[in-house]
Amino acid sequence: MNHRAAVLCAAVVVAAACAAGPAGASPSPAARAATAAEPAWKACATADRPTLQCASLKVPLDHADPGGEQITLALSRVPHTAKTYQGPLLVNPGGPGGRGLSLAGFVASALPEAVASQYDVIGFDPRGVGASTPALDCKPGHFATVRPDSVPSGEEIERANLERARSFAEACAEKHAHVLPYIDTTSTVRDMDAIRAALGAPKISYFGYSYGTYLGTVYAKLYPERVRRMVLDSIVDPTGVWYEDNLTQDLAFDERHRALMAWIAKNDKAYGLGTDPARIEARWYEMRAALAKEPAGGRVGASELEDTFLPGGYYNGYWPYLAEAFAAWAKTGETAPLVKAYENFGAVDASGDNGYSVYTSVQCRDAQWPRDWDEWRTDNWSAYAKAPFMTWNNAWYNAPCAFWPTERLGPVDITNGELPPVLLFQATNDAATPYEGGAVVHTLLRDSSLVVERGGGNHGITLSGNSCLDSYLAAYLGDGTVPRGTGSVDAECAALPDPKPLDAKVGSRTAHGTTLHGMLGFRG
C-alpha cells in the first residue's frame, strides 16, 4: 500500500468547488457539465444490472507530473434515481489487485433501494487492474501446476521456491519497468481524487472491503476535507503494512482451518470422517503429504491443495464443497472432487495473473520488506511451528517482495481527527484481516464507530446476509447515523449460523454472500 505526491487539475477542482451547492452535497448535473471533465458514460447493462453504465478516465501515470504520460482507468456507475441526491459513492473490493467494476452493480442492488437510489454508485478498476490500461501481467502462468511444495523441508525445495519468487520479480521489472514505480496505494488514492474531480463532486462517500479499507484511510489522510461518509469492512491493520500483517494472517488462517475441521466433525453424518476435529485435521495433513508425492489428477499437489482450501478461511459458504472433496479422498481415495474443487476455488486464470501482478506491485512498493532471506526464513519457520496450514504458502506468495526492483516506500500513518464519523465493520474471527485491525483503526480515526460481528469468521461481512449489520450500514449511508457505545465497541451483531452440508436445505441467506465473496476474491 502506498503514497506519492500528486498535483490534480486545479481548474477542475476549482470549478467543482465553485459549483457546489450545500455543504457535502454534489453539484447539479448542469454544474458538473460546466467542468467539461465528467466521464462520457455509456450503457453497459447486463441482465441483472440493467442500469449499469461504463466510462473511462485519463489520469497521470505520475501524479507529480500531471502533464506527462497518461494512463486510463475503467469506471462503472449505477446512477441515482431518487430526488434526494447524496453524491458519488466509490466502492472498492480490496486486493490489492481486485477488480471493482462489477462491485458497483452489486452494492447498488444489495443496499435497500431507498438508500442506493440516492447515490451514484461508482466502481473502478484501479491502475494496472482489469479493464484499466495498461493492465499488468508480469509472468503469465506463474501459478501453473504442479508447483514445488510450499514447505521448504529441504534446500532443494527452498531453492526452487526462491527461484520462482525471484524470477517473478525479474519478469515484472523487464515487462513493466516504467510503470512499477507508480503502482502503489497512494498513486491509487490520487486516482480516486481525480475521479472525484471529474465527477464534479466536492466530496465523495466511500465503501471499501479488506485492502480497500487501507485505501480508504489513506485517501482520508490525504484529503480529509473531501470525505463525506466512509464505510470500512474487514479492516487492515495499518501498523503492520505489510510484512507483519502477513505473519499475523498465518495464525488466524490456521485457526479458521481448524474451525472447518470442527465443522466437519460436527457434521459426521454427512461426511463420515468422525467426530474428533484433531483426528480429522491429522487426516487432512495426511492428504497433503500424499498429494505432495502424487498430485491428484496430475494437477493438485500440496501447494495447490492449500490454494484450494484457503478460500474456506475467507468464507464459510465454501465449506460444504471443500468438505465433500476432502471426504471423497479420505474415504475412497477419489481425487476427481479435489481436482474440481481446485478448479473452482484455487486455480489462477489470466484474470488471476493480472490480480497477482498488481498485488505484488502494490504490496512490494508500499512497504519496507526485508531484503535478507534469512529473516524471512526465521520468521516463517517460527510462525509455521504454531500455524502450519498456510504459513509457507503465504510466505512464497509474498516472497517476490524480497527481490522487488523498485524503491520501497513506507506505510502511511492514517491517524485522523479531521473526518466526519466513519463506520467500521469487523468480525471477531476474520482470518484475512484479524480483529486487531478493526480495533486499531477505531482508535486512530477519531469519532469512528465500530460494529462487531461476534463469533463471525468471514471476511467481508456487510451485504452478505446479516440483517443486523446491514441495518447499521443502511442507516449510516441513509442519513449519517452511527451507533455510539460506551466501551471499545459501539455495537454488536451475532454471527450467522454456519452453513449446512450440501444434502441439506441451504437457506437463501447464502446468495448475497457467495456473490460478494466471488468479487472480493482472496489474499486481500
Side-chain angles (χ1 to χ4, degrees), residues 337-427:
L338 273 178
V339 174
K340 182 178 180 181
Y342 167 71
E343 291 170 347
N344 288 338
F345 301 118
V348 176
D349 58 11
S351 172
D353 283 337
N354 167 242
Y356 181 63
S357 296
V358 177
Y359 172 92
T360 49
S361 297
V362 171
Q363 292 233 334
C364 299
R365 170 81 168 135
D366 265 3
Q368 297 292 328
W369 294 79
R371 290 287 196 185
D372 183 354
W373 185 252
D374 287 342
E375 184 174 346
W376 290 70
R377 183 187 295 113
T378 298
D379 290 342
N380 281 281
W381 275 122
S382 177
Y384 177 84
K386 305 170 187 174
F389 169 54
M390 281 298 299
T391 293
W392 275 109
N393 189 298
N394 202 19
W396 296 120
Y397 196 83
N398 291 281
C401 294
F403 312 103
W404 203 248
T406 67
E407 174 191 354
R408 276 89 62 83
L409 305 174
V412 175
D413 177 2
I414 62 98
T415 304
N416 206 321
E418 303 178 52
L419 299 174
V422 173
L423 186 58
L424 314 176
F425 290 94
Q426 185 66 46

Side-chain angles (χ1 to χ4, degrees), residues 1-4 92-96 124 183-190 192 206-223 227 230-243 245 362-369 409-416 419 422 424-426 433 437-438 440-441 444-445 459 524:
M1 325 234 172
N2 280 290
H3 20 301
R4 165 164 302 280
N92 180 271
F124 65 103
I183 305 295
D184 55 63
T185 294
T186 300
S187 293
T188 301
V189 160
R190 304 292 187 188
M192 289 167 55
Y206 177 80
F207 183 3
Y209 291 94
S210 192
Y211 161 78
T213 66
Y214 183 68
L215 188 66
T217 56
V218 175
Y219 182 90
K221 184 69 173 185
L222 270 62
Y223 305 108
V227 175
M230 180 168 285
V231 179
L232 308 178
D233 183 329
S234 302
I235 300 163
V236 166
D237 183 348
T239 66
V241 172
W242 291 113
Y243 184 73
D245 278 350
V362 171
Q363 292 233 334
C364 299
R365 170 81 168 135
D366 265 3
Q368 297 292 328
W369 294 79
L409 305 174
V412 175
D413 177 2
I414 62 98
T415 304
N416 206 321
L419 299 174
V422 173
L424 314 176
F425 290 94
Q426 185 66 46
T433 53
V440 166
V441 170
L444 296 179
L445 300 184
H459 179 68

